[in-house]
Amino acid sequence: MPYITDPDLAFLQYSSQEDLDILVNYLTKLPNGKKRFNSRLMQYERVDTFFPNHKKYWNLIAAEVQHFGGHFFANFLTGTGVTYRSLMERVCKKSGIDFSEQKSTEKLEIMLLSKILMESMKKMPATDLKQFMKDMSINPHDYTRNTLSNDIRKIIRKETIKPKIIGVLLASSVAKIAVS
């Protein structure tokens, strides 16, 4: 599957090996460790040659993200996936997030991930919420759900966790699209 030039995925070429490994594992394996039936990434000769040096084939990883976010039949007919922006817009709409076309893709990511995290935190028992805050280096003193949401948005904006964010967003998008 060819990579569609996508400024929202170009950062992958600069990502750490560890971050790319997380993304590759998510794209190619199910949570139980079995191979995803619709993943094509491991079928490429370049991947076979350089695995696990993911930086050597970052554009194939990006193409897999685009394929993963596309509609199965549309991908089959066109031979391509969708841009990351298109995926984000679709998932935000399905998630009930209002946004304007002028919002950057990064803003859409922040809005979506914030919504996912806030919905998850609402369901967390107090002890789990405190542990989550500790894990995210958020000071638990004198917080409300709104101040916690603001802290989470600041963490999400950090460029170092972007591949992990994409993994979470892809998981969410698959869930949202699968139930519609």
Side-chain angles (χ1 to χ4, degrees):
M1 173 150 315
Y3 168 61
I4 302 166
T5 302
D6 191 338
D8 293 317
L9 292 176
F11 76 93
L12 288 174
Q13 64 190 305
Y14 308 110
S15 296
S16 73
Q17 182 65 28
E18 179 184 337
D19 286 343
L20 289 173
D21 196 44
I22 291 167
L23 187 55
V24 167
N25 281 328
Y26 182 80
L27 290 168
T28 60
K29 296 178 185 171
L30 295 169
N32 64 7
K34 292 184 180 179
K35 181 186 179 296
R36 288 189 187 276
F37 83 94
N38 61 341
S39 176
R40 296 182 180 177
L41 183 61
M42 303 311 280
Q43 298 171 5
Y44 290 99
E45 184 178 327
R46 192 163 28 131
V47 175
D48 192 43
T49 301
F50 294 110
F51 187 87
N53 187 356
H54 306 308
K55 287 181 169 257
K56 297 276 188 181
Y57 49 87
W58 72 268
N59 58 330
L60 296 175
I61 296 168
E64 187 77 5
V65 169
Q66 293 170 336
H67 171 75
F68 198 84
H71 186 274
F72 177 79
F73 294 111
N75 289 348
F76 180 75
L77 292 173
T78 64
T80 63
V82 297
T83 63
Y84 183 67
R85 172 66 187 210
S86 175
L87 167 65
M88 287 304 305
E89 288 178 355
R90 199 163 127 211
V91 175
C92 284
K93 286 176 187 171
K94 296 236 182 236
S95 300
I97 296 172
D98 291 326
F99 64 92
S100 67
E101 298 292 320
Q102 292 77 26
K103 289 249 188 235
S104 69
T105 304
E106 182 181 22
K107 294 273 189 209
L108 295 181
E109 288 175 333
I110 292 167
M111 292 166 64
L112 180 60
L113 195 54
S114 295
K115 180 172 181 157
I116 293 167
L117 287 172
M118 291 308 292
E119 286 176 2
S120 296
M121 289 186 311
K122 286 177 186 175
K123 299 173 185 171
M124 281 184 195
T127 55
D128 291 348
L129 183 58
K130 284 183 184 177
Q131 183 61 46
F132 172 78
M133 291 173 66
K134 182 179 176 186
D135 293 345
M136 298 298 281
S137 303
I138 298 171
N139 189 345
H141 77 283
D142 194 35
Y143 76 90
T144 65
R145 298 277 178 183
N146 281 345
T147 58
L148 185 55
S149 177
N150 290 336
D151 286 344
I152 287 171
R153 285 188 181 106
K154 288 176 192 169
I155 291 167
I156 293 168
R157 285 189 179 104
K158 291 182 182 176
E159 202 56 34
T160 57
I161 65 168
K162 196 151 176 106
K164 295 173 186 99
I165 289 171
I166 289 178
V168 170
L169 295 176
L170 286 172
S172 172
S173 71
V174 169
K176 295 279 183 194
I177 293 167
V179 297
S180 63

